[in-house]
Amino acid sequence: STSGADAVKRRVSYFYDPDVGNYYYGLGHPMKPHRIRMTHALLEKYGLLDRMKVIHPQLARDRDLCAFHTDEYVAFLQSANPETLTNPCVARRFNITDDCPVFYRLFEFCQTYTGASVDAAKELNRSNADIVINWSGGLHHAKRSEASGFCYVNDIVLAILKLLENHDRVLYVDIDIHHGDGVEEAFFTTDRVMTVSFHKFGEYFPGTGHLLDNGYGKGKYYAVNVPLNDGIDDESYHYLFKPIIAKVMEVFNPDAVVLQCGADSLSGDRLGCFNLSVKGHAECVRYLRSFNVPLMLLGGGGYTLRNVARCWCYETAVALHVEVNDKMPDHEYLGYYGPDYNIHVATSNMENKNSRKSLDDIKAKILDNLSKLQH
Ligand code: ZL4
Ligand code: CA
Ligand code: ZN
């Protein structure tokens, strides 16, 4: 809609380090930081950079990283270097594998994407912005003392810990196709952070995120898992997303929201198997924005580069409440977007393996759990 609360402008701060696109996980590795630079180039040519505060973030310091990670793990990351990594015991201890290789300037990469998320949290703490964006962040699998699933430092956990310095309750929502296990685990026993992950469940990485895993101790019912099947489309996704998030906002009433916008839930992703359109994905941003609570948007997965850049550019426009032309402006990377050169892409005719009955059962269970927090 163009009227009402949605039309009210939000102050948006966007965090970007021009060096981030140069990091390289290695030949054949699906995670490509170059997609952040592609997104930035689109934002620039669409004129969106002029509509927000563009901030070059600081590198995260050891002290920042150690707020969640162990000293020995941070010391390992700091010294890790592809030439000197020779001890297989050390590599195994910190889960350095094909998924999480040691690559050139790995530690600086971690400092870069984490510094942006921590600075984004400080920007919200100071009320300098209503919405903050870091497309290089959202690395939700990293654990306290080990790397996992292309993630080394958990910038999300560190950003939420920073937000908790000024906010009583923080809501975390994760629309990456993978389960947000590292963030869930970090806050599994607290009632100050509610985590909500939508993900493919069943023979899929990382294997956690069962419907019935919902927190422990004081954190009971403060972890929400929405397990989904292949081929989910916009309509089925929002049949769950909207009522669940509406109930979460009602019962949890957060002071800040962090949304991990992993773009591997889009149709046609190299690693994903969902069938969401860019509009359907961005509808999650639009919906959370409509509650008018301080909001942090982070990146995450996304392995078909052209669709990742399309998605995060469009979501930036949604944050700014501006319309963008479907036809892309000419720029350095225009060739990636052929043959159509549109920001929106067609979904596929793949089968949606989520039946109405399975969606209704999931919704009923989750709304019932959430109603236990109502007082
Ligand atoms: C690759 O081609 O399911 C890594 C990873 C590297 C290049 C050369 C090595 C070839 C696909 C994936 C061998 C690769 C073997 N290279 C990878 C159980 C697995 C063990 C490792 O979006 N093999 C592990 C992790 C997932 C597994 C997904 C999502 C992150 C996020 C947030 C992380 N790991 C099987 C895979 C390749 C590779 C090709 C790969 N890894 C696909 N899925 C995984 O949630 C950022
Ligand atoms: Ca998820
Ligand atoms: Zn993912």
Side-chain angles (χ1 to χ4, degrees):
S1 97
T2 52
S3 60
D6 283 3
V8 176
K9 287 292 174 193
R10 308 288 200 278
R11 296 166 301 157
V12 181
S13 294
Y14 163 80
F15 294 78
Y16 178 72
D17 186 317
D19 196 32
V20 78
N22 293 319
Y23 294 95
Y24 186 63
Y25 277 63
L27 202 65
H29 199 290
M31 176 57 99
K32 298 183 189 298
H34 174 56
R35 69 212 171 115
I36 312 302
R37 178 164 51 200
M38 290 170 62
T39 304
H40 185 81
L42 266 186
L43 293 174
E44 183 181 354
K45 289 301 146 121
Y46 267 117
L48 297 177
L49 295 181
D50 304 329
R51 297 173 175 266
M52 52 193 179
K53 190 160 129 198
V54 178
I55 300 178
H56 186 145
Q58 307 265 217
L59 296 179
R61 300 151 305 170
D62 289 12
R63 182 151 47 93
D64 299 319
L65 305 181
C66 290
F68 175 56
H69 296 285
T70 62
D71 293 5
E72 55 153 18
Y73 179 51
V74 172
F76 162 75
L77 287 175
Q78 188 158 32
S79 65
N81 146 1
E83 268 93 66
T84 61
L85 185 82
T86 46
N87 186 340
C89 293
V90 172
R92 168 177 276 178
R93 179 146 66 109
F94 300 114
N95 197 29
I96 297 304
T97 55
D98 285 328
D99 272 353
C100 303
V102 169
F103 55 84
Y104 177 59
R105 296 204 296 146
L106 168 63
F107 189 64
E108 280 164 273
F109 174 65
C110 295
Q111 290 180 295
T112 301
Y113 74 78
T114 302
S117 295
V118 171
D119 281 1
K122 290 178 183 165
E123 184 86 347
L124 289 182
N125 282 351
R126 295 175 187 135
S127 297
N128 285 344
D130 306 303
I131 303 180
V132 292
I133 301 176
N134 170 25
W135 295 129
S136 71
L139 299 195
H140 57 180
H141 298 306
K143 305 291 154 55
R144 194 165 106 88
S145 201
E146 66 179 57
S148 173
F150 317 162
C151 309
Y152 304 83
V153 167
N154 202 313
D155 62 294
I156 310 171
V157 170
L158 293 169
I160 292 173
L161 290 172
K162 183 58 71 180
L163 287 171
L164 288 172
E165 292 176 9
N166 282 254
H167 300 82
D168 289 331
R169 290 175 307 283
V170 176
L171 170 64
Y172 174 66
V173 180
D174 185 316
I175 60 171
D176 189 289
I177 194 169
H178 298 96
H179 178 229
D181 58 348
V183 185
E184 179 185 274
E185 186 180 296
F187 300 112
F188 209 59
T189 63
T190 177
D191 56 4
R192 290 188 65 199
V193 178
M194 179 176 282
T195 62
V196 184
S197 177
F198 296 78
H199 47 268
K200 159 137 175 99
F201 184 79
E203 286 174 64
Y204 202 65
F205 186 87
T208 48
H210 192 284
L211 176 65
L212 302 180
D213 289 342
N214 48 34
Y216 185 83
K218 273 182 117 179
K220 182 104 184 130
Y221 304 124
Y222 289 86
V224 176
N225 283 302
V226 189
L228 302 168
N229 236 311
D230 295 22
I232 194 160
D233 58 17
D234 295 349
E235 202 235 296
S236 294
Y237 200 88
H238 287 291
Y239 184 74
L240 290 181
F241 189 87
K242 289 186 179 170
I244 290 171
I245 296 300
K247 189 75 174 175
V248 161
M249 295 304 285
E250 182 198 331
V251 304
F252 185 59
N253 189 217
D255 305 298
V257 177
V258 176
L259 175 59
Q260 195 268 21
C261 301
D264 47 8
S265 43
L266 289 173
S267 184
D269 187 79
R270 178 176 160 195
L271 298 189
C273 53
F274 284 178
N275 197 20
L276 297 183
S277 71
V278 168
K279 279 204 184 88
H281 196 275
E283 186 63 23
C284 299
V285 175
R286 203 185 300 278
Y287 192 64
L288 278 167
R289 182 187 185 277
S290 75
F291 291 92
N292 220 351
V293 173
L295 177 62
M296 181 181 301
L297 302 180
L298 299 173
Y303 306 100
T304 299
L305 301 206
R306 58 188 182 279
N307 292 347
V308 179
R310 283 173 160 123
C311 182
W312 291 345
C313 175
Y314 185 70
E315 290 176 342
T316 306
V318 167
L320 289 164
H321 198 75
V322 301
E323 303 282 335
V324 288
N325 197 327
D326 192 26
K327 216 30 107 190
M328 287 185 162
D330 191 18
H331 69 294
E332 196 181 350
Y333 306 118
L334 187 67
Y336 284 71
Y337 304 95
D340 55 289
Y341 308 102
N342 292 334
I343 195 159
H344 294 290
V345 283
T347 52
S348 86
N349 61 358
M350 77 189 290
E351 186 192 346
N352 180 355
K353 292 194 176 154
N354 300 270
S355 67
R356 184 49 59 113
K357 164 94 170 71
S358 72
L359 298 173
D360 280 331
D361 290 349
I362 291 166
K363 180 159 81 174
K365 181 69 198 170
I366 290 174
L367 293 183
D368 184 54
N369 280 347
L370 288 170
S371 71
K372 291 171 184 147
L373 299 177
Q374 210 141 25
H375 35 242

